[in-house]
Coordinates of all heavy atoms in Angstrom, one line a residue:
D15 N 1.2 -8.7 -17.5 CA 2.6 -8.9 -17.1 C 3.5 -8.0 -17.9 O 3.5 -8.1 -19.2 CB 3.0 -10.3 -17.3 CG 4.4 -10.6 -17.0 OD1 5.1 -9.8 -16.3 OD2 4.9 -11.8 -17.2
S18 N 3.8 -0.3 -17.3 CA 3.5 0.4 -16.0 C 2.1 0.2 -15.4 O 1.3 -0.4 -16.1 CB 3.9 1.8 -16.3 OG 2.8 2.3 -17.1
D21 N -0.1 1.7 -18.0 CA -0.4 0.7 -19.0 C -1.5 -0.2 -18.6 O -2.5 -0.5 -19.4 CB 0.8 -0.1 -19.5 CG 1.9 0.8 -20.0 OD1 1.6 1.8 -20.6 OD2 3.1 0.4 -19.9
V32 N -16.9 -3.5 -22.8 CA -17.5 -4.7 -23.1 C -18.0 -5.3 -21.8 O -19.1 -5.9 -21.7 CB -16.6 -5.6 -23.8 CG1 -17.2 -7.1 -24.0 CG2 -16.1 -5.0 -25.1
F33 N -17.2 -5.2 -20.7 CA -17.5 -6.0 -19.5 C -17.9 -5.2 -18.3 O -18.2 -5.7 -17.2 CB -16.2 -6.8 -19.1 CG -15.8 -7.8 -20.1 CD1 -14.8 -7.5 -21.1 CD2 -16.5 -9.0 -20.2 CE1 -14.5 -8.4 -22.0 CE2 -16.1 -9.9 -21.2 CZ -15.1 -9.6 -22.1
E38 N -11.8 -4.0 -9.0 CA -11.0 -2.9 -8.7 C -9.9 -2.8 -9.8 O -9.5 -3.7 -10.4 CB -10.4 -3.0 -7.3 CG -9.6 -4.2 -7.0 CD -9.3 -4.3 -5.5 OE1 -9.9 -4.9 -4.7 OE2 -8.1 -3.8 -5.3
T75 N 2.1 -8.5 -21.7 CA 1.5 -9.7 -22.0 C 0.3 -9.8 -21.2 O 0.3 -9.7 -19.9 CB 2.6 -10.9 -21.7 OG1 3.8 -10.7 -22.4 CG2 1.9 -12.2 -21.9
A84 N -16.4 -14.8 -23.6 CA -15.8 -13.7 -22.9 C -14.3 -13.5 -23.4 O -13.9 -12.5 -23.6 CB -15.8 -13.9 -21.4
S93 N -7.4 -6.2 -29.4 CA -6.7 -6.2 -30.8 C -7.2 -4.9 -31.5 O -6.4 -4.3 -32.3 CB -7.1 -7.3 -31.6 OG -6.6 -8.5 -31.1
A98 N -1.6 -5.6 -31.4 CA -1.7 -6.8 -30.6 C -1.1 -8.0 -31.4 O -1.2 -8.1 -32.6 CB -3.1 -7.2 -30.0
Q113 N -3.5 -15.8 -24.6 CA -2.4 -14.8 -24.3 C -2.2 -14.0 -25.5 O -2.0 -14.4 -26.6 CB -1.1 -15.6 -24.0 CG -0.1 -14.8 -23.3 CD 1.0 -15.6 -22.7 OE1 1.7 -16.2 -23.4 NE2 1.0 -15.6 -21.3

Side-chain angles (χ1 to χ4, degrees):
D15 185 4
S18 68
D21 294 334
V32 176
F33 298 99
E38 54 185 90
T75 300
S93 294
Q113 194 169 69

